[in-house]
């Protein structure tokens, strides 16, 4: 099959490219390299075809989509830190870029739209199910919610194109995908903790550290992305993709400290100091993955200690 990955030079997209190549598929990548890196694709070259450009460029996008069997749409302004520093671009790229892709797609092409756990906003105080309400904060309090809003609009667009034009679209909501090639530069918590621990710097926990999250290893996540797109039954549906374990962020910091054998001190930084006045966060964001398990018979299962250890091993090599 011929496969296009938008945002394919990112940490997740590059692993997906390798998986598709290993399955014998032809892979084309579109990435503007705003956050992705060509170096992430070194193991995939020269077997891929790479184009530098944006999903906002309709002519380029249309040309690249032509003749593709499957399209994996990962291109986006990624993460809360980026949403705060680039609020308008976040909305434009995430919403208009997705609309461009879905509008240009043919009914024969199968499309995976990669959304985010951020659509749940504050969360419901329990394991989050795909049909739960999305409770997002006020834009007058914090622009961080713009990222979740943009991803939620992407989902509405995907479902509307599926129902109105019979397009073959599946939606996934990843929760904290981690592993090699991810950087803490854009505010990702685990690579930040690991880098700080390896360099002997204070491990900085924002807020009280009582927030809970779940983490999934990148190679398991991209395998699930691929599997979901092979089933007709997944068209027009939404799937949480997440690890099974819920962990407090302060305990994540302690695990990183122990696994790296670091002498770093764990310090707590108020949200206001890290992100500015008015920043809001979800105290609990943990996924119910039963819907995914019903379809595929499995969910990401690598335990958090192994997830950390594998990521530490990669980051040690990068920092040496």
């Amino acid at each position: 099959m011929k496969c296009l990955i938008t945002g394919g030079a990112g940490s997740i997209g590059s692993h997906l490219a390798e998986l598709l190549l290993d399955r014998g598929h032809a892979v084309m990548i579109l990435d503007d390299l705003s956050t992705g890196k060509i170096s992430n694709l070194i193991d995939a070259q020269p077997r891929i075809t790479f184009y530098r450009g944006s999903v906002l460029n309709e002519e380029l996008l249309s040309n690249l989509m032509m003749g593709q069997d499957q399209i994996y749409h990962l291109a986006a302004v990624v993460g809360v830190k980026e949403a705060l520093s680039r609020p308008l671009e976040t909305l434009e790229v995430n919403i208009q870029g997705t609309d461009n892709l879905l509008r240009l797609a043919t009914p024969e092409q199968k499309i995976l739209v990669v959304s985010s756990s951020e659509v749940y906003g504050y969360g419901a105080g329990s394991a989050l199910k795909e049909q739960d309400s999305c409770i997002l904060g006020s834009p007058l309090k914090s622009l961080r919610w713009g990222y979740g809003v943009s991803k939620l609009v992407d989902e509405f667009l995907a479902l509307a194109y599926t129902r109105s034009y019979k397009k073959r679209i599946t939606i996934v909501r990843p929760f904290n995908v981690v592993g090699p090639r991810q950087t803490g530069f854009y505010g990702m918590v685990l690579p930040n903790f690991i880098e700080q621990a390896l360099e002997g710097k204070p491990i900085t926990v924002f807020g009280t550290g009582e927030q809970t999250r779940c983490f999934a290893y990148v190679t398991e996540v991209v395998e699930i992305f691929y599997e979901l797109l092979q089933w007709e039954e997944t068209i027009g549906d939404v799937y949480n993709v997440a690890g099974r374990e819920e962990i407090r962020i302060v305990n994540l910091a302690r695990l990183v400290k122990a696994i790296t054998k670091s002498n770093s001190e764990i310090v707590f930084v108020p949200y206001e100091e890290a992100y500015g006045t008015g920043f809001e966060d979800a105290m609990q964001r943990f996924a119910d993955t039963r819907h995914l398990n019903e379809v595929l018979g499995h969910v990401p299962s690598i335990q958090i200690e192994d997830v950390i250890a594998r990521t530490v091993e990669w980051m040690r090599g990068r920092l040496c």
Side-chain angles (χ1 to χ4, degrees), residues 22 42 51 56 65 73-74 80 88 101 148 162 177 202 258 269 307 315:
D22 289 344
I42 191 166
Y51 290 87
L56 296 177
M65 289 175 62
H73 179 46
L74 285 77
V80 172
L88 188 58
L101 186 143
T162 298
V177 182
V269 177
V307 167
M315 291 192 73

Side-chain angles (χ1 to χ4, degrees), residues 210-221:
E210 294 301 308
Q211 314 94 299
T212 65
R213 297 293 187 267
C214 52
F215 296 83
Y217 196 63
V218 63
T219 55
E220 288 194 294
V221 170

Side-chain angles (χ1 to χ4, degrees), residues 12 37 41 72 97 154 159 171 181 187 202 207 212 285 291 293 301-303 308:
I12 300 175
K37 298 178 180 178
L41 298 168
Y72 297 82
D154 286 353
L159 294 172
I171 302 164
R181 304 172 197 157
T212 65
R285 190 172 289 156
H291 186 41
N293 193 54
S301 60
I302 298 175
Q303 295 186 330
I308 295 171

Side-chain angles (χ1 to χ4, degrees), residues 65 71 99-109 111 161 167-169:
M65 289 175 62
I71 300 169
D99 184 55
N100 288 345
L101 186 143
L102 298 179
R103 177 165 34 82
L104 293 169
T106 69
E108 293 73 35
Q109 293 172 319
I111 301 168
Y161 274 105
K167 298 198 178 182
R168 303 163 76 194
I169 306 165

Side-chain angles (χ1 to χ4, degrees), residues 46-67:
R47 296 179 292 164
I48 60 167
T49 304
F50 176 82
Y51 290 87
R52 182 171 184 174
S54 170
V55 287
L56 296 177
N57 184 336
E58 288 192 51
E59 182 178 0
L60 174 62
L61 185 61
S62 177
N63 289 337
L64 298 187
M65 289 175 62
M66 195 176 302

Side-chain angles (χ1 to χ4, degrees), residues 244-285:
R244 297 177 179 180
E245 300 168 85
E246 182 178 19
I247 184 170
R248 290 189 300 161
I249 295 300
V250 66
N251 288 340
L252 181 73
R254 290 168 181 155
L255 272 178
V256 168
K257 180 179 167 73
I259 289 169
T260 57
K261 298 181 171 59
S262 174
N263 293 321
S264 294
E265 177 187 6
I266 297 174
V267 299
F268 295 86
V269 177
Y271 278 128
E272 291 77 11
E273 185 177 326
Y275 291 115
T277 303
F279 182 82
E280 298 180 307
D281 201 10
M283 285 304 296
Q284 182 183 40
R285 190 172 289 156

Side-chain angles (χ1 to χ4, degrees), residues 104-308:
L104 293 169
T106 69
E108 293 73 35
Q109 293 172 319
K110 296 189 77 172
I111 301 168
L112 187 79
V113 170
V114 179
S115 181
S116 168
S117 63
E118 280 286 322
V119 301
Y120 290 110
Y122 291 115
S126 59
L128 294 161
K129 304 178 185 67
E130 290 86 351
Q131 293 184 344
D132 284 344
S133 296
C134 299
I135 308 169
L136 292 150
S138 167
L140 295 175
K141 291 184 177 180
S142 177
L143 287 175
R144 67 80 39 92
W145 301 114
Y147 178 69
V149 167
S150 70
K151 286 297 188 177
L152 191 56
V153 173
D154 286 353
E155 293 192 17
F156 278 111
L157 285 169
L159 294 172
Y161 274 105
T162 298
R163 294 173 188 177
S164 298
Y165 297 103
K166 309 301 180 186
K167 298 198 178 182
R168 303 163 76 194
I169 306 165
T170 301
I171 302 164
V172 289
R173 293 174 181 165
F175 285 64
N176 296 290
V177 182
V178 295
R181 304 172 197 157
Q182 189 182 53
T183 173
F185 183 78
Y186 302 106
M188 310 308 183
V189 62
L190 183 58
N192 265 330
F193 284 177
I194 293 173
E195 187 168 328
Q196 290 165 347
L198 291 177
E199 294 181 344
K201 298 176 180 178
I203 300 173
T204 52
V205 176
F206 297 156
T208 64
E210 294 301 308
Q211 314 94 299
T212 65
R213 297 293 187 267
C214 52
F215 296 83
Y217 196 63
V218 63
T219 55
E220 288 194 294
V221 170
V222 297
E223 177 73 39
I224 284 168
F225 286 2
Y226 175 74
E227 289 184 38
L228 283 172
L229 219 53
Q230 310 316 307
W231 293 85
E232 291 294 321
E233 293 86 347
T234 66
I235 293 171
D237 210 347
V238 182
Y239 297 88
N240 288 336
V241 180
R244 297 177 179 180
E245 300 168 85
E246 182 178 19
I247 184 170
R248 290 189 300 161
I249 295 300
V250 66
N251 288 340
L252 181 73
R254 290 168 181 155
L255 272 178
V256 168
K257 180 179 167 73
I259 289 169
T260 57
K261 298 181 171 59
S262 174
N263 293 321
S264 294
E265 177 187 6
I266 297 174
V267 299
F268 295 86
V269 177
Y271 278 128
E272 291 77 11
E273 185 177 326
Y275 291 115
T277 303
F279 182 82
E280 298 180 307
D281 201 10
M283 285 304 296
Q284 182 183 40
R285 190 172 289 156
F286 176 61
D288 184 322
T289 54
R290 284 178 292 181
H291 186 41
L292 179 68
N293 193 54
E294 288 168 357
V295 174
L296 298 185
H298 66 96
V299 299
S301 60
I302 298 175
Q303 295 186 330
I304 188 62
E305 291 84 358
D306 272 347
V307 167
I308 295 171

Side-chain angles (χ1 to χ4, degrees), residues 85-103:
S85 62
R86 301 156 60 193
L88 188 58
E89 187 178 353
T90 297
L91 295 170
E92 182 182 25
V93 172
N94 292 6
I95 296 173
Q96 187 59 56
T98 299
D99 184 55
N100 288 345
L101 186 143
L102 298 179
R103 177 165 34 82

